[in-house]
């Protein structure tokens, strides 16, 4: 079964350089049969980066793409609080660079106009947009989005797709929050491999709206792959979740950039 | 020439097939002890494998030869003796399961539940401090270690049962602080203790190093990070790490795949899949 990983980051170990760390990530992905990895953000992490910081992180990702052109796909990390700088960075890395997607994290709630403008420009460029979300029992970070806020944004996107990162972490709530908004895709990454997650997502969203991701290197590949390998769903659904849905979303921009897949 | 090549190909293919079969049989025969399995009902969700027969079937498919099982009913039930009697009954029906009694030292006369586990010929008990509301510097925790040890029972500490960020706020079970554990162990000489569902992030390096200096063993169910077993073995002696899945709450495949994600030698696999667990329980 082909496996593409929607959601990976540089390891914190394996060497001091971006190149060494990307090599380590791929070496371990090889052990798990993962064909391609979407990579975003650099190191050290920053939840609310100034423009020079997110540019530097994107440079780290850009620096490792040529060596692993057949394995890594870069997503540009942006901070909507710096809207003009983010739009300029989107041009640099996607319109005029090799990146194929956008990563939005916890700096700014996603139901705001600045996020909407960034996402709409990304869609013009055929980029795939990933927005982190959590429904935390305690408190979310100040700028951290919930799946409900993402569903709100998604209503204003003319049916264009957007990915709900972590499906809200508290996935039983997250799945409910995005179910009715058909252009929202569920990312399985970055939570414990709690049995029933994928089965409920398939039941409520349909397998064609679910995408495997790991959130390696903080997570293991194993715990996240298990959510699909271990789920009581048909093999056809596993194929959609492991690769086919992500390939379908990425195909237009990959073709435009001449990236073979 | 053509015939000879075809013959060679056929022979090589047959040899490869035979070798693959031998490998597969080797894997089949090699014991896999799952130290972290649960029967009973998880209070917040029905699980596909929450009946013992289905769980035993899945474990068998995934190569588990022995599964140490306690009951999730032990989280909230107060009639612990009945919980453990049901557990013992289920384990007699399905011999893949090794019963590990639940103990709640905050209940009156909990000491009798330890004696009852011994009388049921159990070889271990499982403590769940986060759900029973005590800290590891509580004198009753030390007393539980002592009493269990006197009854030749091993002790498993199940630390985290659910990510704090997804818990019901009306029934919040904070992950316990394991900092007092080395001191508690000093007060209970001879105690055999295993940590289930521990996270590398839950204690500072000094605590983990202090524990590495004891005989405490650890399961891998909540071990995270890429190639997490490899990374853990950089700090921890090989004889401390045991296979454990937290099934059926977690997908069983997660723990199984971790053995593949790290680059483990045959000796490391032997230690983690069964040798360490066997030594721990039979000591
Ligand atoms: Zn992430």
């Amino acid at each position: 079964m082909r496996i593409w990983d929607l959601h990976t980051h540089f390891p914190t170990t394996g060497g001091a350089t971006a190149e060494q760390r990307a090599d380590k990530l791929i070496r371990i992905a090889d052990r798990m049969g993962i064909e391609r990895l979407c990579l975003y953000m650099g190191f050290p992490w920053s939840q609310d980066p100034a423009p020079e910081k997110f540019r530097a992180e994107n440079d780290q990702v850009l620096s490792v793409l040529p060596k692993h052109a057949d394995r890594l796909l870069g997503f540009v990390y942006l901070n909507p609080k710096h809207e003009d700088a983010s739009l300029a960075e989107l041009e640099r890395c996607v319109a005029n660079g090799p990146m194929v997607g956008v990563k939005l994290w916890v700096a700014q709630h996603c139901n705001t106009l600045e996020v909407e403008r960034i996402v709409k420009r990304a869609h013009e460029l055929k980029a795939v947009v990933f927005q982190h979300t959590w429904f935390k029992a305690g408190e979310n970070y100040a700028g951290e989005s919930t799946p409900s806020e993402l569903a709100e944004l998604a209503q204003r996107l003319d049916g264009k797709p957007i990915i709900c990162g972590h499906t809200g972490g508290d996935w039983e709530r997250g799945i409910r929050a995005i179910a009715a908004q058909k252009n929202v895709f569920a990312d399985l990454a970055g939570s414990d491999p709690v049995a029933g997650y994928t089965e409920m997502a398939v039941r409520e969203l349909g397998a064609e709206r679910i995408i495997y991701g790991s959130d390696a290197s903080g997570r293991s590949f194993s715990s996240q792959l298990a959510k699909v390998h271990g789920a009581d769903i048909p093999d056809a659904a596993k194929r959609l979740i492991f690769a086919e849905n992500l390939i379908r979303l990425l195909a237009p921009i990959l073709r435009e950039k001449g990236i073979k897949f | 020439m053509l015939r000879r090549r075809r013959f060679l190909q056929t022979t090589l293919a047959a040899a490869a097939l035979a070798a693959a079969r031998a490998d597969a049989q080797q894997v089949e025969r090699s014991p896999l002890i799952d130290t972290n399995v649960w029967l009973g009902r998880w209070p917040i969700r029905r699980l596909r494998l929450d009946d013992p027969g289905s769980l035993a079937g899945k474990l068998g498919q995934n190569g588990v030869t022995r599964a140490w099982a306690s009951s999730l009913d032990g989280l909230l039930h107060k009639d612990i003796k009945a919980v453990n009697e049901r557990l013992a009954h289920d384990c007699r029906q399905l011999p893949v399961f090794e019963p590990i009694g639940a103990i709640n030292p905050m209940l009156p006369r909990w000491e009798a539940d330890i004696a009852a586990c011994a009388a049921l010929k159990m070889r271990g008990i499982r403590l769940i401090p986060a759900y029973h509301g005590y800290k590891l510097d509580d004198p009753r925790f030390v007393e539980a270690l002592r009493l269990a040890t006197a009854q030749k029972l091993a002790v498993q500490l199940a630390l985290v049962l659910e990510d704090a960020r997804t818990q019901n706020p009306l029934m919040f079970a904070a992950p316990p602080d394991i900092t007092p554990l080395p001191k508690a162990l000093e007060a209970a000489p001879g105690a055999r203790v295993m940590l289930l569902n521990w996270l590398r992030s839950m204690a500072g390096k000094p605590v983990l190093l202090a524990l590495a200096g004891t005989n405490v063993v650890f399961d891998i169910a909540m071990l995270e990070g890429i190639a997490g077993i490899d990374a853990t073995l950089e700090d921890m002696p090989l004889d401390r790490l045991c296979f454990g899945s937290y099934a059926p709450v977690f997908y069983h495949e997660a723990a199984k795949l971790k053995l593949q994600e790290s680059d483990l030698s045959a000796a490391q696999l032997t230690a983690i899949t069964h040798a360490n667990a066997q030594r721990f329980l039979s000591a």
Side-chain angles (χ1 to χ4, degrees), chain B residues 136-155:
Chain B
L136 302 192
D137 56 6
D138 192 301
R140 283 166 289 189
F141 171 63
V142 176
E143 194 51 29
L145 294 182
R146 285 201 194 117
L147 271 181
T149 307
Q151 298 274 13
K152 298 192 166 48
L153 294 161
V155 179

Side-chain angles (χ1 to χ4, degrees), chain A residues 39-110:
Chain A
L39 177 70
Y40 25 97
M41 312 205 301
F43 52 88
W45 281 5
S46 170
Q47 296 189 336
D48 188 5
E52 49 276 19
K53 172 62 176 153
F54 64 67
R55 284 194 289 263
E57 291 196 40
N58 293 327
D59 281 341
Q60 289 172 316
V61 174
L62 287 168
S63 76
V64 299
L65 294 182
K67 180 174 174 185
H68 300 291
D70 55 341
R71 303 299 300 282
L72 295 179
L73 296 164
F75 279 35
V76 60
Y77 179 37
L78 304 175
N79 181 350
K81 277 184 174 166
H82 306 280
E83 185 181 349
D84 291 341
S86 286
L87 287 167
E89 184 68 348
L90 186 55
E91 297 304 305
R92 178 175 84 101
C93 295
V94 177
N96 304 311
M99 292 198 182
V100 296
V102 172
K103 161 69 186 255
L104 297 168
W105 198 24
V106 294
Q108 175 65 302
H109 290 274
C110 66

Side-chain angles (χ1 to χ4, degrees), chain A residues 31 137 172 199 220 222-223, chain B residues 45 165 224 249 251 260-261:
Chain A
R31 299 183 58 82
E172 284 157 316
E199 288 89 338
S220 62
S222 300
S223 60
Chain B
R45 175 182 304 119
R165 296 170 297 177
E224 283 295 348
V249 183
Y251 290 114
Q260 177 185 333
E261 183 164 339

Side-chain angles (χ1 to χ4, degrees), chain B residues 25-102:
Chain B
Q25 279 165 3
Q26 192 59 43
V27 170
E28 284 310 312
R29 270 202 305 272
S30 137
L32 178 60
I33 299 177
D34 190 335
T35 62
N36 184 1
V37 162
W38 299 76
L39 303 180
R41 286 285 164 83
W42 179 229
I44 60 161
R45 175 182 304 119
R46 281 305 300 269
L47 303 166
R48 182 163 59 94
L49 302 176
D50 65 11
D51 78 275
S54 313
L55 181 59
K58 171 61 123 183
L59 295 174
Q61 272 171 24
N62 284 0
V64 172
T65 49
R66 195 86 176 128
W68 302 357
S70 197
S71 177
L72 288 166
D73 295 350
L75 295 187
L76 300 175
H77 290 218
K78 293 167 199 155
D79 186 358
I80 292 293
K81 191 175 185 186
V83 168
N84 288 332
E85 280 171 354
R86 284 199 300 278
L87 173 74
H89 173 266
D90 288 342
C91 294
R92 274 195 300 273
Q93 305 298 308
L94 294 157
V96 68
F97 294 120
E98 167 91 41
I100 306 286

Side-chain angles (χ1 to χ4, degrees), chain B residues 212-230:
Chain B
T214 66
N215 63 353
V216 171
V217 294
F218 301 78
D219 93 324
I220 63 165
M222 286 197 181
L223 192 54
E224 283 295 348
I226 52 167
I229 295 179
D230 280 338

Side-chain angles (χ1 to χ4, degrees), chain A residues 193, chain B residues 32-38 59 64 66-68 126 156 194-198 218-223 229 240-248 250-259 271-274 277:
Chain B
L32 178 60
I33 299 177
D34 190 335
T35 62
N36 184 1
V37 162
W38 299 76
L59 295 174
V64 172
R66 195 86 176 128
W68 302 357
R126 199 171 283 177
Q156 293 188 312
M194 173 183 273
L195 301 188
L196 305 179
N197 294 355
W198 66 287
F218 301 78
D219 93 324
I220 63 165
M222 286 197 181
L223 192 54
I229 295 179
R240 302 308 171 73
L241 216 50
C242 296
F243 182 84
S245 70
Y246 194 33
F250 278 8
Y251 290 114
H252 189 262
E253 286 73 9
K256 197 76 199 292
L257 287 164
K258 284 175 189 171
L259 300 174
I272 295 166
T273 55
H274 60 279

